[in-house]
């Protein structure tokens, strides 16, 4: 595997020139419920290149979390079926044996969550938990596992790790717990880290620290990052590529900067425009009318149609994820004729200099 | 909404040396949740309060509407100390000062129809006939942009954004002068947030409301407020016109907060160095001496540990608590 240059070129990775580390094709997730079987996501296609940082964005309920969980086959018990394939470094994670999955989970693909307390065991010290993960996967001796745990805690920015290693999770602050989670996730040197809203519960100054840490670790160890978030700012600051989901489908995929400057899908554009920004009193905020269709009552054709200002005859047809060139994809047949505003138009009126924090 | 010059000094709420202390659950220690805060809210404005979690924002909000009693200091509503009013007058006075919280589910009884929930405060206030009360409640639902049939529905049949509108409608029925909005859009999805913020702006224009808008979200506060206060560990560190505070912040914490905000902008527009703060907000049980921000401040000097910085009006209408705020050439040490 070639070592990635720091600050890997945004467009190159997105253009898919590097062979993908993971290829998701036609992924669909169905759940059994008291009302029958629900199709929660469908036709999910995307690639992640080695070392690439990809943001998955979308509003709550669009399917981000279950897409992340499906990669590690951690979906809840009422799963009715998983369609399609997830090719990870030659193995199909949808069809591989439970044993093969265990080999991959935690070792080659790791996952962290919004609330680290849910993943940390309150009865064991943080050092014990990290070292055990390492021992289970590598079988190394206790002393060596402890030494490597100390080193990892230092790398994730825990001050005086010799003292912290024997702390219990409840003795740590929220930011420190998330650092411990990251240490536990990265201790085996995974090729892919899935992070589901890792900073949503943190304060903004601590969030900045954790995002910086994730970016730095991903760059120095060439770990690919799949960052799930509802916050477009977090993606802009951390990732090179952005995948936008809506109502269980991928609707746009491309380099972050391109998507922010000139979004191709009306939904992405609407989201960017609806964000208040760091400048006072800018009158009315544009908003997207209506709401996300319910999982039990999905419209045919384009799922965004009822809310789209550009809907036209033709939009009632099923929409495929179309290749838009320059490493971009979009699920809207009208993308060529639409010229949609993005964050740039939005920012044009905002005082950028003042936001950089330089006195 | 620009304020007319003569209304600028029309103070609706004044807060002086406000302190709120709590006992920890084991009663061993005292939490200094709010520790010496001074400000005035002007009639018709939106007064923003930002700060990270635990800084004391909610506590201030609850004190402003007398959901809790200050441990020290004074809060006056239009020059009156409500605590000296006889019980009955105090109850009716409180209706003019409402508070709305983040979670509409906590505010709505799941077994009551939306109309009954909106009617509840009117019935407690016992004004008018039942027909009049129902008309007022339906008017309020209409005013927040909800369809008429919503009244007969139950909370679980509504979306998060709709439920928050119901809570707003309920606060409006009593025709308050001021509403404290505590993280009222935090739980809403991005695409609905704008709608609810627009609604607040419309209601203010139509009804002449005053808001105290509490949030941890800088973009939201700068969008909606005329003035903003920045809170850290129980104290205000800066207060001024939103434009000045967000474009020419005087306090190192404000600068760090502004620079930490992730912005949905392409990399070409995000140049500039970020002030990365070390560590996290300390405990309000045992706050640092002197300036409370000194344990994380990149510019801290010896003096900062020894002396609490004064609350000073460094520019007209722009207040700050930092010994070195006039040194615009701050250099990290
Ligand atoms: N165990 C489950 N049973 C039925 N539906 C589920 C289950 N888990 C998630 N869903 C549904 O799948 C959709 C996507 O959920 P999720 O991935 O959690 O969204 P997001 O992370 O984008 O907010 C939602 O509509 C949710 O209600
Ligand atoms: N009822 C209470 N009892 C004890 N401590 C409290 C109580 N309410 C708030 N606190 C403490 O006071 C501080 C400020 O809390 P709060 O006003 O809720 O902050 P914010 O709204 O800025 O997050 C926190 O340390 C919190 O734990
Ligand atoms: S397919 Fe039609 S309705 Fe859907 S996003 Fe494109 S223009 Fe809008
Ligand atoms: S008083 Fe000192 S520690 Fe406090 S903000 Fe100013 S420079 Fe920093
Ligand atoms: Mg989720
Ligand atoms: Mg609060």
């Amino acid at each position: 595997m070639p070592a990635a240059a720091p600050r890997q070129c945004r467009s190159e990775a997105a253009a898919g020139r590097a062979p993908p580390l993971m290829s998701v094709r036609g992924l669909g997730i169905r759940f059994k419920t008291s009302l029958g079987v629900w199709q929660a996501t469908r036709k999910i296609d995307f690639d992640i290149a080695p070392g690439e940082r990809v943001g998955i964005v979308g509003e709550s309920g669009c399917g981000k979390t279950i897409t992340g969980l499906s990669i590690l086959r951690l979906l809840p018990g009422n799963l009715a079926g998983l369609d399609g394939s997830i090719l990870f470094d030659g193995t199909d994670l949808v069809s591989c044996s439970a044993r093969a999955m265990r080999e991959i989970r935690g070792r080659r693909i790791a996952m962290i969550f919004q609330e680290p307390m849910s993943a940390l065991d309150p009865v064991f010290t943080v050092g014990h938990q990290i070292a055990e993960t390492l021992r289970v996967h590598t079988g190394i001796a206790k002393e060596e596992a402890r030494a490597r745990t100390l080193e990892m805690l230092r790398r994730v920015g825990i001050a005086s790790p010799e003292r912290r290693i024997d702390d219990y999770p409840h003795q740590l602050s929220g930011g420190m717990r998330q650092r411990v989670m990251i240490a536990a996730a990265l201790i085996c040197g995974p090729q892919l880290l899935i992070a589901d809203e890792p900073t949503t519960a943190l304060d903004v100054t601590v969030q900045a620290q954790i995002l910086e840490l994730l970016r730095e670790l991903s760059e120095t160890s060439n770990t690919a990052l799949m960052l799930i978030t509802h916050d477009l700012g977090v993606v802009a600051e951390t990732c090179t590529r952005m995948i936008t989901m809506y109502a269980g489908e991928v609707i746009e995929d491309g380099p972050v900067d391109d998507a922010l400057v000139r979004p191709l899908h009306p939904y992405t554009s609407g989201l960017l425009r609806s964000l208040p920004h760091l400048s006072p009193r800018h009158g009315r905020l544009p908003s997207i009318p209506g709401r996300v269709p319910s999982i039990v009552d999905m419209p045919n054709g384009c799922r965004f149609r009822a809310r789209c200002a550009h809907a036209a005859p033709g939009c009632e047809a099923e929409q495929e994820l179309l290749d838009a060139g320059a490493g971009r994809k979009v699920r809207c047949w009208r993308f060529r004729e639409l010229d949609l505003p993005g964050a740039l138009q939005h920012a044009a009126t905002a005082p950028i200099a003042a936001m950089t924090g330089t006195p | 909404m620009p304020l007319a010059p003569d209304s600028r000094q029309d103070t609706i709420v004044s807060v002086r040396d406000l302190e709120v202390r709590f006992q920890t659950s084991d009663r061993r220690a005292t939490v200094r949740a709010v520790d010496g805060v001074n400000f005035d809210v002007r009639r018709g404005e939106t007064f923003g309060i930002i700060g990270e979690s635990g800084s004391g924002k909610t506590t201030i909000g609850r004190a402003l509407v007398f959901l809790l009693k200050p441990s020290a200091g004074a809060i006056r509503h239009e020059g009156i100390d409500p605590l000296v009013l006889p019980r009955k007058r105090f109850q009716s006075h409180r209706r003019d000062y409402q508070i709305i919280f983040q979670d509409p589910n906590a505010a709505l009884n799941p077994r009551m129809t939306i109309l009954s929930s909106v009617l509840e405060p009117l019935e407690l206030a016992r004004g008018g006939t039942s027909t009049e009360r129902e008309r007022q409640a339906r008017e309020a639902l209409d005013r927040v942009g909800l369809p008429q049939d919503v009244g007969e529905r139950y909370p679980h049949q509504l979306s998060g954004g709709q439920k928050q509108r119901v809570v707003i409608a309920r606060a409006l029925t009593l025709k308050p002068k001021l509403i404290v909005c505590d993280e009222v859009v935090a739980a809403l999805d991005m695409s609905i947030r704008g709608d609810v913020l627009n609604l607040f702006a419309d209601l203010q224009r139509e009804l002449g409301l005053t808001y105290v808008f509490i949030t941890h979200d800088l973009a939201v506060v700068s969008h909606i407020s005329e003035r903003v206060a920045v809170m850290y560990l129980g104290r205000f560190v800066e207060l001024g016109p939103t434009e000045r505070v967000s474009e020419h912040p005087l306090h190192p914490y404000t600068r760090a907060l502004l620079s930490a905000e992730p912005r949905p902008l392409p990399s070409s527009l995000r140049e500039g160095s970020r002030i990365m703060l070390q560590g996290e907000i300390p405990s309000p049980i045992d706050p640092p001496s002197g300036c409370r921000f000194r344990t994380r401040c990149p510019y801290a000097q010896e003096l900062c540990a020894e002396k609490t910085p004064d609350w000073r009006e460094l520019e007209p209408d722009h207040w700050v608590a930092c010994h070195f705020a006039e040194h615009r050439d701050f250099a990290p040490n």
Side-chain angles (χ1 to χ4, degrees):
Chain A
M1 195 197 313
R7 297 242 164 238
Q8 183 185 27
C9 168
R10 286 187 171 205
S11 53
E12 194 174 305
R17 258 165 258 160
L21 170 68
M22 181 170 76
S23 250
V24 177
R25 287 295 174 271
L27 183 68
I29 301 170
R30 287 172 284 130
F31 289 113
K32 290 192 272 284
T33 72
S34 52
L35 300 171
V37 172
W38 286 0
Q39 181 87 44
T41 71
R42 61 167 193 178
K43 301 197 281 192
I44 305 281
D45 290 358
F46 65 91
D47 289 344
I48 296 184
E52 194 183 15
R53 295 191 302 279
V54 180
I56 313 274
V57 300
E59 295 180 85
S60 62
C62 69
K64 305 181 295 297
T65 293
I66 57 175
T67 300
L69 292 174
S70 69
I71 293 168
L72 287 172
R73 292 226 305 251
L74 292 174
L75 287 166
N78 64 330
L79 180 71
L82 201 56
D83 312 309
S85 64
I86 303 173
L87 215 58
F88 178 80
D89 210 15
T91 308
D92 179 12
L93 304 181
V94 170
S95 61
C96 73
S97 67
R99 197 197 145 113
M101 192 71 238
R102 274 198 304 276
E103 281 290 301
I104 287 173
R105 196 186 293 141
R107 179 174 184 162
R108 298 177 61 195
I109 306 178
M111 187 157 181
I112 60 174
F113 303 91
Q114 173 170 334
E115 187 32 73
M117 267 323 246
S118 62
L120 293 170
D121 193 329
V123 301
F124 293 110
T125 65
V126 298
H128 177 86
Q129 296 185 51
I130 301 173
E132 270 312 291
T133 310
L134 187 60
R135 273 161 53 78
V136 164
H137 286 295
T138 61
I140 61 169
K142 260 202 160 110
E143 299 71 42
E144 195 189 337
R146 187 175 166 93
R148 289 197 26 205
T149 299
L150 263 180
E151 175 51 30
M152 197 68 220
L153 288 173
R154 191 167 292 118
R155 267 193 76 196
V156 299
I158 301 262
S160 27
E162 320 64 33
R163 270 192 14 235
R164 291 301 182 188
I165 192 168
D166 296 318
D167 275 356
Y168 289 88
H170 74 265
Q171 292 172 287
L172 304 175
S173 68
M176 277 213 274
R177 275 184 217 139
Q178 201 51 283
R179 286 177 196 268
V180 166
M181 267 313 301
I182 293 170
L186 295 183
I187 190 81
C188 296
Q191 292 155 288
L192 173 65
L193 175 66
I194 304 171
D196 189 354
E197 306 272 5
T199 57
T200 304
L202 301 175
D203 278 320
V204 62
T205 58
V206 181
Q207 163 169 278
Q209 299 165 2
I210 298 292
L211 292 178
E212 178 63 32
L213 174 68
L214 285 174
R215 191 169 47 211
E216 192 258 329
L217 291 173
S218 149
E219 264 168 18
T220 52
S221 56
N222 200 35
T223 305
L225 176 66
M226 176 172 159
L227 180 66
I228 296 173
T229 172
H230 67 281
D231 188 331
L232 289 157
V234 165
V235 171
E237 303 247 347
T238 318
C239 298
T240 53
R241 198 150 59 84
M242 172 165 121
I243 294 174
T244 312
M245 291 186 67
Y246 182 77
E249 296 179 337
V250 169
I251 54 112
E252 183 161 354
D253 179 346
V256 168
D257 285 358
D258 297 348
L260 293 172
V261 175
R262 191 176 168 268
L264 294 178
H265 197 283
Y267 175 68
T268 319
S269 172
L271 266 191
L272 283 167
R273 281 161 44 78
S274 70
L275 300 175
H277 47 87
L278 287 178
S279 60
R281 289 276 158 171
H282 276 256
R284 296 191 74 73
L285 289 165
S287 61
I288 306 176
R291 27 194 298 216
V292 182
S294 155
I295 195 168
V296 288
D297 190 21
M298 275 298 166
N300 292 322
C302 175
R303 294 187 161 182
F304 187 56
R305 185 159 42 115
R307 307 174 73 189
C308 182
H310 306 281
C315 299
E316 69 285 352
E318 285 297 301
Q319 299 296 314
E320 300 304 323
L321 197 58
L322 305 171
D323 194 329
R328 308 185 67 180
K329 293 188 184 121
V330 60
R331 197 181 293 276
C332 168
W333 70 283
R334 298 197 64 196
F335 79 90
R336 271 196 194 85
E337 38 179 328
L338 301 176
D339 188 15
L340 303 169
L344 258 188
Q345 287 86 336
H346 205 51
T349 51
I352 306 300
M355 297 186 236
T356 60
T358 36
Chain B
M1 187 173 61
L3 290 157
D6 60 1
S7 74
R8 281 181 59 95
Q9 300 312 325
D10 185 0
T11 299
I12 179 161
V13 171
S14 84
V15 175
R16 291 294 172 270
D17 303 316
L18 177 67
E19 290 181 26
V20 182
R21 292 183 288 266
F22 297 109
Q23 291 301 120
T24 53
S25 43
D26 60 7
R27 307 206 152 263
R28 293 242 184 94
T30 303
V31 182
R32 300 173 158 274
V34 178
D35 198 24
V37 166
N38 289 283
F39 63 100
D40 289 341
V41 181
R42 298 166 188 162
R43 193 181 307 280
E45 78 169 338
T46 298
F47 184 92
I49 303 180
I50 52 168
E52 297 180 276
S53 59
S55 57
K57 305 181 297 297
T58 295
T59 305
I60 288 195
R62 286 160 54 90
L64 284 181
V65 298
F66 290 90
L67 273 181
L68 57 79
K69 222 178 128 206
S71 312
I75 297 175
R76 285 175 191 280
H77 289 167
E78 302 184 300
I80 299 166
D81 177 359
L83 291 175
V84 305
L85 296 174
R87 220 175 75 92
K88 263 204 122 125
R89 289 248 340 259
F90 177 69
Q91 292 302 346
S92 67
H93 173 90
R94 274 183 57 182
R95 293 184 200 127
D96 292 342
Y97 299 81
Q98 296 282 323
I99 187 164
I100 302 175
F101 295 103
Q102 167 172 347
D103 183 10
N105 294 314
L108 298 173
N109 184 334
R111 280 185 291 273
M112 269 163 73
T113 64
I114 298 303
L115 185 65
S116 323
S117 281
V118 176
L119 271 170
E120 205 178 24
L122 282 169
E123 278 165 358
L124 286 172
R126 290 194 213 103
T129 65
S130 71
T131 328
E132 272 165 16
R133 291 200 289 265
E134 179 163 339
R135 186 183 46 77
Q136 279 175 288
R138 291 200 183 274
E139 244 173 48
L141 285 171
D142 185 52
R143 179 151 252 152
V144 298
L146 289 169
Q148 274 307 326
D149 66 312
V150 154
E152 278 62 50
R153 289 196 243 164
Y154 289 88
H156 76 268
Q157 296 170 301
L158 269 53
S159 70
Q162 287 176 314
K163 278 183 271 193
Q164 196 59 292
R165 281 171 195 267
V166 172
V167 175
I168 298 168
R170 185 165 67 174
L172 289 178
T173 54
L174 295 175
K175 306 210 177 347
K177 296 175 178 164
L178 177 142
I179 304 180
V180 176
C181 306
D182 189 0
E183 304 278 10
V184 285
V185 295
L188 302 179
D189 253 322
M190 297 177 277
S191 70
I192 320 169
R193 226 174 255 193
D195 267 344
V196 175
L197 289 174
N198 288 340
L199 172 65
F200 275 109
D202 291 345
L203 293 172
Q204 181 168 57
R205 204 171 33 246
E206 291 161 18
L207 306 173
L209 287 168
T210 306
Y211 295 135
V212 174
F213 216 91
I214 295 173
T215 165
H216 68 283
D217 189 325
L218 275 162
V220 166
V221 88
S222 26
H223 176 80
I224 196 143
S225 333
E226 273 91 12
R227 292 192 302 147
V228 61
V230 183
M231 200 165 182
Y232 188 81
L233 210 52
R235 292 198 180 135
F236 280 4
V237 296
E238 183 160 359
L239 162 61
T242 307
E243 204 135 349
R244 292 300 295 172
V245 172
S246 59
E247 289 168 33
H248 302 279
L250 293 173
H251 198 281
Y253 177 64
T254 312
R255 288 184 195 174
L257 209 54
L258 287 166
S259 88
E261 181 77 6
R263 280 155 293 145
L265 295 174
S267 45
S268 57
L269 287 178
R270 252 185 300 110
E271 300 313 328
S273 58
R274 166 164 282 172
I275 305 166
M276 196 64 82
L277 290 183
Q278 301 299 309
E280 290 166 57
I281 187 166
S283 160
I285 292 175
D286 185 20
S289 65
C291 173
R292 298 202 158 174
F293 183 52
R294 71 177 165 82
T295 53
R296 300 173 78 197
C297 180
Y299 316 106
Q301 309 288 323
E302 256 172 53
L303 175 67
C304 306
E306 291 157 11
K307 192 171 173 295
T308 302
D310 293 331
W311 182 233
R312 305 181 283 154
E313 189 174 11
L314 204 60
E315 295 172 355
D317 216 21
H318 193 169
W319 296 71
V320 64
C322 165
H323 293 305
F324 304 105
E326 46 276 87
H327 298 253
R328 289 192 164 273
D329 53 343
F330 270 118
N333 50 21

